């Protein structure tokens, strides 16, 4: 879907956090070293990597960071890179692609000392609030087994089969379904019947999921199972 010609709403942290010195600013070239360290701290296999010889570990992680950076630039050239700050000190990163709908949260990460304090939830909620104001839904990709999945579900993200395994899309069922229906009609109008059928099946799957969630109150209020590095 083409991006809107108007500028999207600003991503603003809640007043309660802003008053305590938390903020968001555009990333700068000087942030590269911080982003590299943040990348290293967020690796799932950090404990295993710690057993490697120092030089080997550093070279490997630097290479992986460079690969990730190049991938993001190639796949999301218009994405916004934002640095999360606490009293002007960098403590996290949010990469958000709003060039098209749905908006894509490319990456969200916090330094270890700032995790499990509700800041990750606040960042996601700020993105969702801006998306609602812009009439957009939000998607992100989650690795299988990522402990942040519980947080995303509590914020009403729902699994979808439209992207790679582990993708979540939308913070609002009705907005997500309306977007899929619009895409289905457009595909049918363009005689892309296979694509239209795929979208129709996905709509049916999500509608079935919504009914199941409404029938199971525990599914709408999962227990506190912990959060990821962005929690």
């Amino acid at each position: 879907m083409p991006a809107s010609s108007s500028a999207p709403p600003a991503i603003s942290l809640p007043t309660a956090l802003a008053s305590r010195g938390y903020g968001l600013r555009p990333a700068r070239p000087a942030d590269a070293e911080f982003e590299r360290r943040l990348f290293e701290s967020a690796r799932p296999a950090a404990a295993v990597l710690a057993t490697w010889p120092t030089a080997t570990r550093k070279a490997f992680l630097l290479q992986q960071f460079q690969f990730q950076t190049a991938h993001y630039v190639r796949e999301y050239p218009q994405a916004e890179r934002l640095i999360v700050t606490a009293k002007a000190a960098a403590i996290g990163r949010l990469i958000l692609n709003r060039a098209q709908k749905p908006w894509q949260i490319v990456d969200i990460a916090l330094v270890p000392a700032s995790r499990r304090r509700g800041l990750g939830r606040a960042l996601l909620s700020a993105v969702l609030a801006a998306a609602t104001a812009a009439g957009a839904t939000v998607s992100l990709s989650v690795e299988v087994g990522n402990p942040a999945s519980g947080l995303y579900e509590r914020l009403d993200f729902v699994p979808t089969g439209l992207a790679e395994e582990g993708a979540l899309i939308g913070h609002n069922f009705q907005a997500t379904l309306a977007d899929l229906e619009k895409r289905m009609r457009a595909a049918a109008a363009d005689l892309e019947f296979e694509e239209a059928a795929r979208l129709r099946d996905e709509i049916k799957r999500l509608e079935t999921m919504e009914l199941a969630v409404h029938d199971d109150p525990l599914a709408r209020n999962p227990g506190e199972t912990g959060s990821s590095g962005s929690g």
Side-chain angles (χ1 to χ4, degrees):
M1 179 181 298
S4 170
S5 58
S6 60
I11 307 298
S12 302
L13 291 178
T15 302
L17 287 177
S19 65
R20 290 160 52 194
Y22 290 99
L24 284 170
R25 63 165 174 79
R28 301 187 287 255
D31 294 313
E33 177 59 20
F34 164 74
E35 293 183 77
R36 182 191 64 78
R37 295 196 307 269
L38 180 65
F39 170 85
E40 292 183 3
S41 74
R43 293 309 87 204
V48 174
L49 293 174
T51 65
W52 291 16
T54 301
T56 303
R57 180 178 71 252
K58 287 184 175 181
F60 173 78
L61 288 172
L62 176 59
Q63 181 187 58
Q64 293 299 302
F65 173 67
Q66 292 171 337
F67 284 163
Q68 183 197 68
T69 301
H71 171 72
Y72 287 166
V73 171
R74 182 177 64 253
E75 296 297 323
Y76 310 102
Q78 300 183 61
E80 303 161 71
R81 287 175 54 244
L82 302 173
I83 297 297
V84 187
T85 61
K87 297 181 178 179
I91 62 168
R93 180 177 78 169
L94 170 66
I95 301 180
L96 178 64
N97 184 43
R98 298 195 279 180
Q100 61 185 24
K101 296 179 181 180
W103 294 358
Q104 173 80 17
I105 295 176
V106 179
D107 189 44
I108 179 171
L110 296 167
V111 298
S114 296
R115 297 170 191 167
R116 301 180 184 276
R117 296 186 176 184
L119 187 53
R121 174 190 286 270
L123 286 169
L124 289 169
S125 295
V127 172
L128 298 181
T132 297
T137 54
V138 181
S139 69
L140 52 82
S141 295
V142 182
E143 294 179 356
V144 175
N146 188 321
S149 297
L151 170 62
Y152 302 139
E153 290 170 4
R154 290 193 291 277
L155 288 172
D156 287 343
F157 281 89
V158 296
T160 178
L162 290 177
E164 63 272 18
E165 182 180 2
L168 300 176
I169 186 171
H171 58 289
N172 180 294
F173 259 110
Q174 296 308 314
T176 300
L177 290 175
D179 182 62
L180 292 176
E181 289 171 353
K182 183 177 181 180
R183 291 165 57 187
M184 180 184 68
R185 289 193 295 271
D190 291 339
L191 304 182
E192 297 176 357
F193 298 120
E194 183 175 346
E195 175 68 5
R198 185 175 73 90
L199 289 167
R200 178 202 60 204
D201 292 342
E202 180 64 13
I203 290 169
K204 290 182 178 179
R205 189 183 72 82
L206 289 177
E207 288 175 335
T208 300
M209 178 186 298
E210 183 179 25
L211 290 173
V213 167
H214 282 305
D215 289 341
D216 182 3
L218 292 179
R220 296 297 293 174
N221 298 282
E224 295 293 328
T225 57
S227 59
S228 73
S230 61

